[in-house]
């Protein structure tokens, strides 16, 4: 389990992620990085959502919060709008953790190479908790 570098809360918003993250920055400080759907490789695949936040990260000294706008086909509901994101450093361990966490649950996005240079996957565990597992490619 030593390949887990960190755990980060990941919050999903309806369509006001940029506003929320600016608010959190004003409250907590830190540096804010924001990528909109329209400036990502997903731009042509999500018509009408070009101004949605594809991914954002507020980074402080020893902490971070990640967020995006809710782009899933299911209905957005406050309370179901968060995920635990694990940053891993070893692909074999990422695969093992993914398999263990998804046992009895649902693999919602199989582990695969992502456009941002990582291997990424998502799942819902048997308790209904959503997980993202990211491992930068070396």
């Amino acid at each position: 389990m030593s390949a887990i570098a960190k755990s980060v809360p990941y919050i999903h918003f309806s369509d006001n992620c940029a506003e929320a993250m600016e608010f959190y920055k004003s409250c907590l400080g830190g540096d804010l990085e924001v990528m909109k759907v329209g400036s990502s490789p997903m731009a042509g695949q999500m018509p009408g959502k070009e101004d949605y936040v594809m991914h954002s990260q507020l980074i402080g000294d020893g902490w971070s919060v990640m967020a995006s706008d809710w782009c899933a086909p299911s209905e957005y509901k406050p309370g179901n709008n968060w995920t635990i994101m694990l940053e891993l450093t070893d692909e074999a361990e990422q695969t093992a953790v993914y398999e263990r966490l998804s046992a009895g649950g649902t693999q919602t996005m199989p582990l695969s190479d992502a456009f941002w240079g990582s291997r990424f996957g998502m799942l819902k565990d048997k308790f209904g908790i959503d997980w993202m597992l990211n491992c930068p490619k070396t």
Side-chain angles (χ1 to χ4, degrees):
M1 305 270 175
S2 62
I4 299 173
K6 62 182 172 181
S7 170
V8 178
Y10 201 110
I11 307 167
H12 302 283
F13 294 91
S14 179
D15 61 2
N16 59 348
C17 179
E19 177 186 357
M21 292 301 277
E22 287 291 343
F23 172 74
Y24 297 146
K25 180 181 178 183
S26 73
C27 294
L28 305 172
D31 296 313
L32 180 59
E33 301 169 355
V34 177
M35 175 192 290
K36 300 274 181 118
V37 169
S39 62
S40 80
M42 300 295 290
Q45 298 175 34
M46 301 174 74
K49 296 186 177 184
E50 293 80 8
D51 288 332
Y52 276 37
V53 174
M54 178 81 183
H55 176 73
S56 65
Q57 185 170 11
L58 181 60
I59 304 166
D61 186 21
W63 59 270
S64 66
V65 175
M66 296 180 175
S68 65
D69 280 314
W70 190 263
C71 295
S74 60
E75 184 180 335
Y76 170 86
K77 295 177 191 167
N80 74 346
N81 62 326
W82 65 277
T83 301
I84 299 171
M85 200 288 292
L86 295 178
E87 188 78 33
L88 293 102
T89 58
D90 179 83
E91 288 186 16
E93 185 64 18
Q94 180 192 31
T95 298
V97 170
Y98 185 87
E99 293 298 324
R100 288 192 299 261
L101 282 172
S102 64
T106 305
Q107 296 182 0
T108 55
M109 179 182 285
L111 290 171
S112 62
D113 291 345
F115 69 83
W116 57 87
S118 292
R119 187 166 173 250
F120 180 79
M122 299 188 310
L123 63 99
K124 183 181 293 286
D125 71 22
K126 65 182 179 181
F127 301 103
I129 303 300
D130 291 309
W131 296 82
M132 296 177 181
L133 283 73
N134 192 68
C135 184
K137 303 290 280 179
T138 55

